[in-house]
Amino acid sequence: MTASLTAVWWGGAPAADRVADAHLLAAVDEALAGSGAAAELVCTHVDGSAPAPRVGVSIRLTGEPAGPAATRSALARALAGPAVAGGTHDADVAGPARTALVEAGAGDAGRAVRFPGSASVTGRVPVADLIAATAIEQVVGIGVEPVGTDVVDTGPNGFLRPRFSGGRLTLLVERAAGGVLQPFEIEDPHQCCEGGGH
């Protein structure tokens, strides 16, 4: 799923209290409301260029918003940090926003918190169907080689956080109880402390 040359990409540097997946998506959706564009792909990126690593966000829009400057300003307010359009060479752009745009454009890195098809996936889904119905291009296993008929348990909320690697959106999975696969990154990693989950 390499980046389209005509895709509209924006980058941002959210404040620390806006980097959790739900807060980040809410901020992005709030900023784009009524703009005529939506965020079809949202990825987080780690910018390690500063002494303390910061999170950046890349956003692929469904199209150019009706009022790009006003919408970018709304996004900056919602993220409580700078927002920039792809292709901009603004010296004031924060490191995390620039890192996010560069990585997203190259398909080198980025953890997808929203991607095409992600909203329609819940429960147990065969690998082949997951690849056919979403932007996920490959499923890679830890200690297992997934085939199309293997089933991935996405949980009741369809929690999937694939990552870009080599220009492809890749979901990392591992074998779980009952012979199914589960995403390596699970929704509630602390659940195991109470006897269930991972």
Side-chain angles (χ1 to χ4, degrees), residues 1-4 60 103-110 135-138 163-170:
M1 186 177 159
T2 54
S4 164
R60 188 176 74 197
E103 289 182 352
D108 288 338
I136 293 172
E137 294 172 278
Q138 63 183 3
R163 295 176 182 267
F164 277 99
S165 175
R168 302 183 77 186
L169 192 57
T170 303

Side-chain angles (χ1 to χ4, degrees), residues 6-10 32 35-40 60-66 68 71:
T6 59
V8 178
W9 285 98
W10 284 5
L32 294 174
S35 72
E40 64 179 356
R60 188 176 74 197
L61 303 177
T62 55
E64 191 70 43
T71 306

Side-chain angles (χ1 to χ4, degrees), residues 129-158:
D129 293 352
L130 191 60
I131 291 172
T134 73
I136 293 172
E137 294 172 278
Q138 63 183 3
V139 176
V140 174
I142 298 174
V144 61
E145 291 186 31
V147 296
T149 54
D150 281 328
V151 173
V152 178
D153 187 353
T154 71
N157 299 323

Side-chain angles (χ1 to χ4, degrees), residues 18 20-31 39 42 113-114 161:
R18 314 282 166 100
D21 295 354
H23 294 164
L24 179 61
L25 291 174
V28 169
D29 291 343
E30 173 189 328
V42 179
V113 296
R114 175 184 291 158
R161 295 300 183 260

Side-chain angles (χ1 to χ4, degrees), residues 32-193:
L32 294 174
S35 72
E40 64 179 356
L41 177 64
V42 179
C43 295
T44 58
H45 304 259
V46 177
D47 176 34
S49 64
R54 293 241 353 248
V55 173
V57 60
S58 63
I59 305 161
R60 188 176 74 197
L61 303 177
T62 55
E64 191 70 43
T71 306
R72 248 188 337 273
S73 293
L75 181 61
R77 284 191 304 276
L79 295 176
V84 63
T88 303
H89 301 289
D90 185 343
D92 296 331
V93 174
R98 185 175 305 285
T99 296
L101 282 174
V102 169
E103 289 182 352
D108 288 338
R111 172 182 167 269
V113 296
R114 175 184 291 158
F115 51 92
S118 60
S120 64
V121 176
T122 58
R124 295 181 173 199
V125 183
V127 167
D129 293 352
L130 191 60
I131 291 172
T134 73
I136 293 172
E137 294 172 278
Q138 63 183 3
V139 176
V140 174
I142 298 174
V144 61
E145 291 186 31
V147 296
T149 54
D150 281 328
V151 173
V152 178
D153 187 353
T154 71
N157 299 323
F159 186 87
L160 297 173
R161 295 300 183 260
R163 295 176 182 267
F164 277 99
S165 175
R168 302 183 77 186
L169 192 57
T170 303
L171 180 65
L172 190 60
V173 297
E174 61 187 352
R175 187 68 66 193
V180 298
L181 301 173
Q182 71 178 13
F184 183 69
E185 181 181 347
I186 59 173
E187 186 170 14
D188 186 3
H190 301 293
Q191 188 178 39
C192 64
C193 300

